[in-house]
């Protein structure tokens, strides 16, 4: 019986690439090819407007091309900030030699987890300027406690293995022990979690936009389009259907991609250990 071909691309990865490529291309390239932003009648259809017009008479296709960049940028930035905070925090708690250090690092996170995320998001953004930097930072803070707890739980096993004790006895540097050994063992978990974390960031950013707090100064992101055009769903449904499909495809595609990456990393890890 022949061994499985490791070079074969998993089907879930291909599906993930297909689902992610379209909304990501629209978000990145859309503003470069967006057409006329002039207004016409509300919820109108015709040859001039391929997908019709929205509640304010703007071309739906143009709004779709313009509305993805801010949503994707804020969500991706929030996820990166989350792991920049959560990974060193969780690893520090897992490798702490004294229990009190672990408690001091993790107990405040329980308080953050008990707060309603959407209410806190709306409150902070309402007090400050609702720009992309503030929104990304707030979303990262909301995602940080759960991510830090996951990192700590995943790092606990690797931090107290005989291999780690051997590295300490050999007086290996902190970077060698925590990034070289412990960080590599965390890769499958972080890869799988990153997809879910991105979906959570998309949910928070889209929900905030749906409730009137948009990262786009023009108020044209996909979540805002769904909210503003739902009144004309029976007249011009594309103003709701197209942005909703793009958000769903992006969330599902990214999740499948990271999940495939986590499976690949998990398969490679035992091989590296054997070497």
């Amino acid at each position: 019986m022949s061994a499985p071909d490791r070079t074969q691309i998993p089907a879930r990865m291909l599906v993930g690439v297909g689902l992610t490529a379209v909304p990501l291309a629209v978000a990145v390239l859309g503003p470069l090819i967006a057409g006329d932003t002039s207004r016409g009648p509300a919820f109108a259809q015709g040859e001039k407007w391929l997908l019709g017009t929205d509640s304010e008479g703007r071309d739906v296709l143009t709004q779709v091309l313009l509305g993805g960049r801010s949503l994707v940028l804020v969500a991706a930035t929030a996820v990166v900030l989350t792991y920049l905070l959560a990974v060193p925090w969780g690893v520090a708690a897992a490798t702490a030699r004294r229990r009190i250090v672990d408690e001091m690092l993790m107990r405040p996170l329980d308080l953050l987890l008990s707060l309603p995320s959407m209410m806190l998001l709306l409150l902070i953004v309402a007090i400050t300027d609702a720009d992309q930097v503030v929104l990304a930072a707030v979303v990262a803070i909301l995602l940080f406690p759960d991510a830090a707890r996951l990192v700590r739980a995943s790092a606990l096993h690797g931090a107290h293995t005989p291999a780690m004790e051997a590295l300490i006895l050999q007086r290996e540097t902190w970077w060698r022990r925590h990034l070289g050994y412990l960080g590599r063992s965390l890769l499958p978990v972080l890869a799988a979690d990153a997809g879910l974390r991105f979906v959570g960031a998309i949910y928070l950013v889209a929900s905030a936009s749906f409730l009137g707090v948009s990262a786009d100064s023009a108020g044209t992101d996909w979540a805002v389009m769904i909210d503003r055009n739902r009144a004309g769903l029976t007249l011009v449904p594309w103003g709701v259907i197209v942005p909703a499909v793009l958000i769903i495809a992006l969330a599902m595609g990214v999740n499948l991609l990271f999940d495939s990456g986590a499976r690949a990393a998990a398969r490679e890890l035992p091989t590296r250990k054997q070497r």
Side-chain angles (χ1 to χ4, degrees), residues 4 6 90 150 217 224:
R6 291 182 176 269
L150 176 67
S217 59
V224 172

Side-chain angles (χ1 to χ4, degrees), residues 19-54:
L19 288 173
T20 307
V22 175
L24 199 58
V26 172
V28 174
L29 302 177
L32 302 178
I33 60 176
D36 187 13
T37 57
S38 61
R39 303 192 180 191
F43 300 126
Q45 294 182 341
E47 295 181 358
K48 185 178 179 180
W49 307 290
L50 183 62
L51 300 179
T53 61
D54 62 7

Side-chain angles (χ1 to χ4, degrees), residues 6-7 184 188 261-275:
R6 291 182 176 269
T7 62
R184 188 174 62 185
R263 290 170 182 259
R267 287 195 299 267
E268 289 294 329
L269 199 56
T271 304
R272 290 180 181 179
K273 288 181 178 180
Q274 290 174 2
R275 293 177 184 175

Side-chain angles (χ1 to χ4, degrees), residues 164-213:
M164 178 62 78
E165 296 295 334
L167 290 174
I168 295 174
L169 291 175
Q170 292 172 8
R171 296 184 179 180
E172 294 287 353
T173 64
W174 186 94
W175 299 103
R176 168 71 174 170
R177 288 184 280 116
H178 292 82
L179 295 183
Y181 172 73
L182 194 57
R184 188 174 62 185
S185 66
L186 289 174
L187 283 179
V189 176
L190 294 180
D193 180 66
L196 295 175
R197 208 65 58 189
F198 183 78
V199 173
I202 286 284
Y203 163 76
L204 287 173
V205 177
S207 298
S209 298
F210 190 80
L211 294 174
V213 181

